C-alpha cells in the first residue's frame, strides 16, 4: 500500500500544522452545515422574499466573491495566506450574524456582501495547505479534508433538519447565530498553532521576467481550460446545491425540510465512507479521466432528481431527493481531490495565491450563474429544461476535461514520478509544465 493510499502513513508523515487543520475541520464546518440546506427556504418562506430574488441574493455572495478574489490572491502572495484568511473569516462571521436578524432586502444585500468577501479565504486556505503539504500527498490531503468538511456539514444538516421549523422563525435565527460563532475556531487556529506558517515565496532568479499578472496567467492554455472545467463544475454542481436542488425539491418534488436535511446527510455519509476508497482507486490515474467519470455520475444524479416531479409529495419524491444527493456525493469524491491538486501542482510557489484565486474566481462565477438561472427557470415552472440544462452541462464538462488532458504534463495530471512512500510528503513542489 502506498503512502498516498494509506491513511496511517499519510497522517504519520503529515506536518504538525497539517494535523491541526485536519483534526479541527469537521467541527469548524458544523456551523456551516446548520444553515447550508436552508438559506433559500429561510429567505423565501421565513422572510417572504420571492424565489428568484432569493436566488439573486444568494448569487450576490458569489458576485462579491468574484470581485475580491483578484485582490485576495495578490494579497495572499504578498502578505501571506494566514492574514488574508483571518480577514475573510471575520467578514464571514459578521455577515452570517447579521443574516440572522435583518429583515429587509437592502440589509440582506449587506449581509450577503460580507459573506461574499469571505470568498478570499478559499484561495488563501488552499495556498496555506499547499505550503504545508507537498508532493503527491496534496491530492490525499484535499480528499480527506473534503470528507471531513462534509462530515461537519452533514452533521449540521441533520441537526438543523430536525430542529428548524418554518412555523417557528426563531429556530432559523438560532442556527445562523451558531454558524457565526463556529468561525471562532479557524480564527483561533490561525492566531495560535498556525501563526508561524509562511506562504510568501520570492520568485526564483530565472523567473523574474515571467508574467505574474492574472491576465498573463489566464492566457496560458492549460489554465484557461482548467478554469472552464472549474466553472462548469460549480454551475452544474455546487451552484445548484443551495438554490436549484433545494428549490426543485421543495417546489417540484414537494418534499419536507426534514427530507432535505436527510438528503444532505446522505450526501455526507457517502463522501465520508467512500472518500478514502476513492483516493486509493484514483491514485496514479489521470485526474482528467477521473473528471470525465464524475461528469457522467452527476448527469445521472440530475436525471434522478428530475423524476421527483413525476410523483411529487410522496415516498417516491422523498426517496429520489435523497437518492440524488447520494449519487451526487459520490461524484464529489472524484472532483474535490482533483481540481485543487491540478491547480496547485501547476502553480509556481511564488504565484500560488494568484493561481488559487483564479480557480476560486471560476468557482464563484459558476456560483453566480447557478442560483440565478435556477431561480428563473423554476419560478417560471420550466422544470424539464432546468434538468436538461444541467445534464448538458455535465456532458460539456467531460469534453473539456478531455481537452485539458492534452495541455498539462503527466505529473500535473496525477501520474507521479517514481517516488518512494517516504518521499510522498517531502517531494519538491512540481513546476508547471504546459
Amino acid at each position: 500500500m502506498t503512502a498516498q493510499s494509506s491513511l496511517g502513513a499519510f497522517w504519520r508523515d503529515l506536518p504538525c500544522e497539517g494535523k491541526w487543520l485536519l483534526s479541527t475541520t469537521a467541527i469548524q464546518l458544523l456551523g456551516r452545515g446548520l444553515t447550508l440546506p436552508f438559506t433559500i427556504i429561510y429567505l423565501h418562506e421565513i422572510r417572504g422574499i420571492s424565489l428568484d430574488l432569493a436566488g439573486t441574493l444568494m448569487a450576490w455572495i458569489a458576485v462579491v466573491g468574484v470581485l475580491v478574489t483578484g485582490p485576495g490572491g495578490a494579497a495572499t502572495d504578498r502578505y501571506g495566506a494566514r492574514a488574508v484568511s483571518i480577514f475573510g473569516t471575520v467578514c464571514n462571521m459578521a455577515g452570517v450574524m447579521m443574516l440572522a436578524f435583518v429583515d429587509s432586502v437592502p440589509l440582506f444585500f449587506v449581509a450577503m456582501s460580507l459573506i461574499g468577501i469571505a470568498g478570499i479565504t478559499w484561495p488563501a486556505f488552499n495556498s496555506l495547505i499547499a505550503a504545508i503539504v507537498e508532493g503527491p500527498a496534496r491530492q490525499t490531503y484535499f480528499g480527506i479534508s473534503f470528507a471531513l468538511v462534509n462530515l461537519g456539514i452533514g452533521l449540521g444538516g441533520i441537526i438543523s433538519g430536525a430542529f428548524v421549523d418554518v412555523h417557528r422563525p426563531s429556530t432559523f435565527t438560532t442556527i445562523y447565530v451558531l454558524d457565526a460563532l463556529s468561525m471562532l475556531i479557524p480564527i483561533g487556529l490561525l492566531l495560535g498553532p498556525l501563526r508561524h506558517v509562511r506562504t510568501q515565496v520570492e520568485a526564483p532568479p530565472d523567473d523574474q521576467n515571467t508574467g505574474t499578472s492574472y491576465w498573463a496567467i489566464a492566457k496560458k492554455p492549460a489554465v484557461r481550460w482548467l478554469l472552464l472545467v472549474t466553472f462548469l463544475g460549480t454551475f452544474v454542481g455546487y451552484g445548484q446545491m443551495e438554490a436549484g436542488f433545494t428549490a426543485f425539491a421543495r417546489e417540484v418534488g414537494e418534499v419536507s425540510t426534514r427530507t432535505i436535511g436527510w438528503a444532505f446527510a446522505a450526501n455526507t455519509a457517502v463522501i465520508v465512507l467512500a472518500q478514502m476508497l476513492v483516493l486509493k482507486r484514483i491514485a496514479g490515474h489521470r485526474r482528467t479521466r477521473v473528471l470525465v467519470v464524475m461528469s457522467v455520475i452527476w448527469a445521472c444524479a440530475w436525471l434522478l432528481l428530475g423524476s421527483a416531479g413525476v410523483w411529487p409529495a410522496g415516498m417516491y419524491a422523498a426517496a429520489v431527493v435523497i437518492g440524488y444527493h447520494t449519487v451526487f456525493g459520490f461524484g464529489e469524491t472524484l472532483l474535490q481531490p482533483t481540481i485543487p491538486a491540478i491547480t496547485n501542482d501547476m502553480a509556481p510557489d511564488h504565484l500560488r495565491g494568484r493561481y488559487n484565486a483564479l480557480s476560486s474566481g471560476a468557482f464563484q462565477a459558476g456560483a453566480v450563474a447557478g442560483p440565478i438561472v435556477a431561480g428563473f427557470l423554476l419560478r417560471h415552472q420550466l422544470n424539464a429544461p432546468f434538468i436538461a440544462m444541467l445534464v448538458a452541462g455535465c456532458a460539456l464538462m467531460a469534453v473539456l476535461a478531455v481537452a485539458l488532458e492534452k495541455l498539462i504534463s503527466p505529473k500535473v495530471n496525477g501520474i507521479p514520478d517514481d517516488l518512494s512512500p517516504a518521499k510522498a510528503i517531502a517531494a519538491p513542489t512540481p513546476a508547471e509544465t504546459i
Side-chain angles (χ1 to χ4, degrees):
M1 183 175 291
T2 67
Q4 267 193 301
S5 62
S6 170
L7 180 59
F10 170 80
W11 182 260
R12 183 174 60 251
D13 293 336
L14 191 65
C16 181
E17 294 84 356
K19 291 175 180 176
W20 270 108
L21 277 176
L22 274 184
S23 61
T24 59
T25 296
I27 190 64
Q28 286 183 46
L29 273 295
L30 184 65
R32 177 64 176 139
L34 294 173
T35 59
L36 177 64
F38 301 111
T39 298
I40 198 163
I41 294 174
Y42 172 64
L43 294 174
H44 180 51
E45 299 189 31
I46 303 300
R47 297 304 186 183
I49 296 173
S50 66
L51 194 58
D52 55 348
L53 180 55
T56 301
L57 279 168
M58 295 178 66
W60 179 245
I61 295 175
V63 171
V64 177
V66 170
L67 295 176
V68 301
T69 48
T76 297
D77 289 333
R78 183 171 183 179
Y79 302 109
R82 194 177 67 90
V84 173
S85 296
I86 291 173
F87 174 76
T89 304
V90 169
C91 289
N92 196 16
M93 182 167 60
V96 172
M97 187 67 78
M98 186 176 178
L99 196 62
F101 298 103
V102 300
D103 57 3
S104 68
V105 172
L107 289 177
F108 275 122
F109 267 107
V110 174
M112 296 301 194
S113 297
L114 287 169
I115 296 171
I117 291 173
I120 64 175
T121 60
W122 179 29
F125 254 103
N126 278 355
S127 297
L128 189 72
I129 291 168
I132 295 171
V133 184
E134 299 181 349
R138 278 183 186 151
Q139 179 167 293
T140 303
Y141 187 100
F142 283 122
I144 295 174
S145 178
F146 176 66
L148 292 174
V149 164
N150 278 269
L151 177 61
I153 289 176
L155 290 175
I158 292 173
I159 295 169
S160 59
F163 174 71
V164 298
D165 185 346
V166 293
H167 301 295
R168 292 188 297 141
S170 62
T171 59
F172 285 85
T173 300
T174 300
I175 62 174
Y176 281 99
V177 169
L178 292 174
D179 186 8
L181 293 177
S182 70
M183 297 174 201
L184 292 172
I185 297 172
I187 292 174
L189 280 177
L190 292 165
L191 292 175
L194 305 182
R195 65 186 183 278
H196 300 302
V197 177
R198 179 179 173 83
T199 57
Q200 306 97 303
V201 177
E202 294 293 332
D206 58 351
D207 199 35
Q208 291 289 346
N209 296 323
T210 302
T212 60
S213 69
Y214 283 109
W215 178 244
I217 296 170
K219 283 196 304 182
K220 297 179 179 181
V223 175
R224 286 203 305 268
W225 286 102
L226 179 60
L227 294 178
L228 285 172
V229 171
T230 303
F231 169 81
L232 271 177
T234 309
F235 180 79
V236 304
Y238 296 107
Q240 304 298 338
M241 284 182 67
E242 290 186 68
F245 159 73
T246 305
F248 192 96
R250 284 287 286 172
E251 302 295 323
V252 182
E254 300 179 22
V255 302
S256 67
T257 56
R258 181 164 297 185
T259 298
I260 293 174
W262 280 109
F264 276 88
N267 175 276
T268 296
V270 169
I271 291 170
V272 173
L273 294 174
Q275 187 66 84
M276 283 306 300
L277 176 62
V278 168
L279 286 170
K280 291 164 64 176
R281 297 285 300 191
I282 68 175
H285 292 279
R286 297 183 187 276
R287 292 162 178 163
T288 48
R289 308 282 175 90
V290 174
L291 290 172
V292 171
V293 174
M294 188 248 11
S295 300
V296 173
I297 292 172
W298 273 8
C300 294
W302 284 115
L303 288 171
L304 182 63
L305 179 66
S307 69
V310 179
W311 295 289
M315 290 297 295
Y316 177 81
V320 298
V321 164
I322 295 173
Y324 157 82
H325 251 311
T326 302
V327 178
F328 186 88
F330 183 71
E332 289 180 83
T333 65
L334 299 171
L335 176 71
Q336 285 300 329
T338 51
I339 287 183
I342 292 173
T343 302
N344 282 280
D345 284 354
M346 185 186 293
D349 287 338
H350 65 289
L351 297 177
R352 198 170 303 286
R354 288 173 172 84
Y355 272 72
N356 279 297
L358 282 171
S359 180
S360 175
F363 186 98
Q364 298 284 7
V368 170
I372 292 176
V373 174
F376 175 82
L377 291 177
L378 296 177
R379 186 189 182 192
H380 292 87
Q381 298 182 341
L382 299 172
N383 306 327
F386 170 71
I387 297 296
M389 173 194 66
L390 296 176
V391 173
C394 291
L396 180 57
M397 186 178 178
V399 172
L400 292 174
V402 172
L404 175 64
E405 181 173 313
K406 302 175 182 178
L407 299 171
I408 58 178
S409 69
K411 191 171 184 179
V412 170
N413 204 13
I415 306 299
D417 294 333
D418 294 330
L419 295 176
S420 67
K423 295 180 180 178
I425 295 292
T429 304
E432 179 183 15
T433 304
I434 300 177

